[in-house]
């Protein structure tokens, strides 16, 4: 099992460029998440998908769009990148445990917007 | 609203020292509580969890007890190793939102 995989690992964009971050999981989980991690702020939820075919906004959705392509894949798109979107992006997936969800994280994508 | 507060880092300890990282939470109802660890250059990994009051989660020598009366879930380890150097995140899960809420993270550095 690869778990949660993310591509690319690193990316540099110029302001105004667009890109899509890819995420896939092979654990047959229903729920998938996109977070961003910034120094001193922990992880903040951008979007999540509770199940295939559904997506919902998290804490910081502005400037992002998502697509739940199928049960395995959940992509994050930046339509017009801004320097404020420089961050490390993590994808996660989960399946409900006995009480509460355990989330499994990918290795992250480090994005710099100049 | 629901929130998690952790002690600020960085925390620097010598090998074999005792570790405590404080975590307190604010939540309605009865959340599940988690500690995640992030090693340099990697994603987060679940370290331990507790799903109800007075539960103790433990893993790799780390422990945390869910204290509802003090709304706390402090992480402890009796003797840290250099390999424990990482960032530690406390988090809560509340059923109504279906999402994890993370603290800001505490960086731990263990010196030989």
């Amino acid at each position: 099992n690869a778990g949660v995989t993310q591509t690319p690992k690193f990316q540099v964009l110029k302001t105004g460029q667009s890109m899509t971050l890819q995420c896939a999981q092979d654990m047959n989980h229903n729920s998938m998440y996109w977070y961003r991690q910034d120094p001193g702020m922990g992880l903040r939820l951008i979007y999540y998908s509770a199940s295939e075919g559904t997506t919902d906004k998290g804490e910081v959705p502005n400037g992002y769009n998502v697509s739940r392509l199928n049960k395995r894949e959940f992509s994050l798109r930046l339509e017009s990148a801004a320097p404020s979107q420089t961050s490390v992006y993590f994808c996660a997936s989960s399946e409900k445990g006995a009480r509460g969800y355990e989330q499994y994280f990918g290795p992250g994508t480090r994005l710099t917007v100049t | 609203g629901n929130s998690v507060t952790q002690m600020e880092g960085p925390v620097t300890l010598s090998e074999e020292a005792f570790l405590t990282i404080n975590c307190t939470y604010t939540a309605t109802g009865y959340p599940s509580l988690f500690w995640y660890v992030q090693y340099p250059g990697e994603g987060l990994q679940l370290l331990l969890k507790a799903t109800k009051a007075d539960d103790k989660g433990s893993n790799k020598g780390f422990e945390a007890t869910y204290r509802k009366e003090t709304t706390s879930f402090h992480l402890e380890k009796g003797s840290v190793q250099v390999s424990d150097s990482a960032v530690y995140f406390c988090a809560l899960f509340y059923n109504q939102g279906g999402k994890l809420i993370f603290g800001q993270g505490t960086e731990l550095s263990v010196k030989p």
Side-chain angles (χ1 to χ4, degrees):
Chain A
N1 277 356
V4 179
T5 57
Q6 293 182 235
T7 55
K9 284 191 166 56
F10 301 93
Q11 183 71 48
V12 179
L13 292 178
K14 293 189 185 332
T15 297
Q17 287 185 319
S18 62
M19 79 162 294
T20 299
L21 281 65
Q22 306 287 353
C23 174
Q25 53 93 7
D26 62 2
M27 294 173 282
N28 203 35
H29 287 165
N30 280 313
S31 301
M32 297 185 73
Y33 309 81
W34 276 105
Y35 295 91
R36 59 177 289 172
Q37 183 181 26
D38 301 292
M41 300 191 74
L43 273 76
R44 293 182 291 169
L45 183 65
I46 305 171
Y47 270 94
Y48 69 104
S49 171
S51 61
E52 188 178 353
T54 69
T55 59
D56 287 286
K57 294 179 181 179
E59 185 184 353
V60 288
N62 291 346
Y64 305 95
N65 284 302
V66 290
S67 294
R68 184 73 183 268
L69 304 168
N70 47 55
K71 192 170 185 179
R72 289 187 66 246
E73 298 171 288
F74 188 39
S75 63
L76 178 72
R77 183 160 178 82
L78 286 69
E79 290 292 351
S80 179
S84 61
Q85 293 178 306
T86 293
S87 188
V88 182
Y89 291 86
F90 288 100
C91 177
S93 71
S94 73
E95 193 57 65
K96 189 171 184 177
R99 188 165 183 271
Y101 294 74
E102 292 184 28
Q103 293 193 9
Y104 295 81
F105 286 79
T109 295
R110 187 174 297 274
L111 174 67
T112 301
V113 182
T114 61
Chain B
N2 299 302
S3 66
V4 176
T5 302
Q6 293 180 230
M7 65 185 285
E8 289 195 17
V11 174
T12 303
L13 295 174
S14 297
E15 207 165 21
E16 300 184 2
F18 185 85
L19 168 71
T20 300
I21 299 178
N22 289 338
C23 170
T24 57
Y25 68 90
T26 302
T28 54
Y30 301 92
S32 296
L33 300 173
F34 302 85
W35 276 101
Y36 280 82
V37 58
Q38 183 181 30
Y39 298 105
E42 299 183 11
L44 279 70
Q45 303 173 26
L46 179 65
L47 181 60
L48 53 83
K49 67 175 182 178
T51 58
K52 61 183 188 296
D54 299 325
D55 266 3
K56 178 186 280 189
S58 61
N59 187 25
K60 298 182 182 179
F62 291 89
E63 293 183 339
T65 301
Y66 188 160
R67 302 279 188 206
K68 188 163 175 60
E69 64 276 12
T70 54
T71 62
S72 65
F73 193 54
H74 304 323
L75 182 69
E76 296 182 335
K77 187 174 186 183
S79 176
V80 293
Q81 306 300 312
V82 172
S83 57
D84 294 326
S85 297
V87 181
Y88 293 82
F89 291 91
C90 185
L92 72 82
F93 173 84
Y94 62 106
N95 281 324
Q96 290 83 355
K99 299 185 286 287
L100 275 176
I101 304 293
F102 286 90
Q104 75 270 34
T106 302
E107 182 180 357
L108 170 66
S109 177
V110 181
K111 305 297 185 188

